[in-house]
Amino acid sequence: MAETKVGTFSIAADHAPIPGLTISSRSDAGEGVTYFSLGSHTDISPETYPGTVLYVGNAGAGEFLVGTEGSVAGISAGQSLITRGGTRVGVRTQEGLVYTEAQVKGELVMNEAIKAGEVFALKDLVPYQGGSIVNMDVAHNDHMKFVVMAFDEGTGLSEHAAPGDAIVFALEGKAIIGYEGEEYPISAGENFHFAPGGRHSVRAEGRFKMALLLML
């Protein structure tokens, strides 16, 4: 098996849309996580998954057609959507769209601020608070945790390890990711992958917001 590349990367840049094509690529960050790249004027026909699905917009813009009535939910970079198992979901885009899809085992416990089938802006979920880190569990169960965090200037997380694969989505500002003794700058729109048990830390460079998808 090929060794996973370590460092800051960009889902959006690594999976830039190609006109007329729809491309899906398996992520290294756990089973059930896939990156989708839709070229301009392409679509994915409505389909149904047995479990809950989390979608995170990485670049471009498009529309998710949700439910039997095909309710339109517009999505762009930094926005997210959660659908319950058994929900019909299709996707279409005029300008091109890159997004991350995570299929989740079991039923999710969702924050009361989040409604299934409705798009929400990740960075708007949590405010900054002086000298503090603000954390919101967006959704979780025994197999997955999706969290949004706001770091005030000068704050950070000390080195620790997580039991599963994780993807960081930098939403606003800049930070330094420490990983296995090395430091990696990260800015809004970029991503980072933590392997299970990987020792990591986060240090805000000014104010910084991020989302974390942890697959257990």
Side-chain angles (χ1 to χ4, degrees), residues 67-87:
T68 55
E69 301 299 320
S71 298
V72 176
I75 194 168
S76 58
Q79 295 184 317
S80 193
L81 171 72
I82 296 175
T83 59
R84 299 290 193 186
T87 303

Side-chain angles (χ1 to χ4, degrees), residues 120-132:
F120 52 94
L122 291 168
K123 72 177 184 178
D124 293 342
L125 292 178
V126 288
Y128 291 111
Q129 185 167 317
S132 302

Side-chain angles (χ1 to χ4, degrees), residues 9 13 28 38 41 68 80 90 98 122 127 133-134 141 150 198 215-216:
F9 67 101
D28 292 329
L38 279 65
H41 304 287
T68 55
S80 193
V98 181
L122 291 168
I133 301 170
V134 180
N141 66 11
M215 304 299 289
L216 300 170

Side-chain angles (χ1 to χ4, degrees), residues 13 16 26 41 51 53 70 76 90 96 105 115 117 120 128 132 136 146 159 165 167 177 184 187 189 197 202 206:
R26 291 284 185 182
H41 304 287
V53 184
S76 58
K105 297 178 182 177
K115 305 300 180 185
F120 52 94
Y128 291 111
S132 302
M136 174 190 277
F146 190 49
E159 187 175 78
D165 279 287
I167 304 175
I177 301 288
Y184 303 90
S187 300
V202 180

Side-chain angles (χ1 to χ4, degrees), residues 148-184:
V148 179
M149 307 179 75
F151 296 76
D152 192 33
E153 184 174 2
T155 64
L157 298 175
S158 58
E159 187 175 78
H160 61 286
D165 279 287
I167 304 175
V168 168
F169 300 86
L171 304 173
E172 184 173 84
K174 299 179 180 181
I176 301 295
I177 301 288
Y179 187 73
E180 293 292 327
E182 300 290 335
E183 292 192 340
Y184 303 90

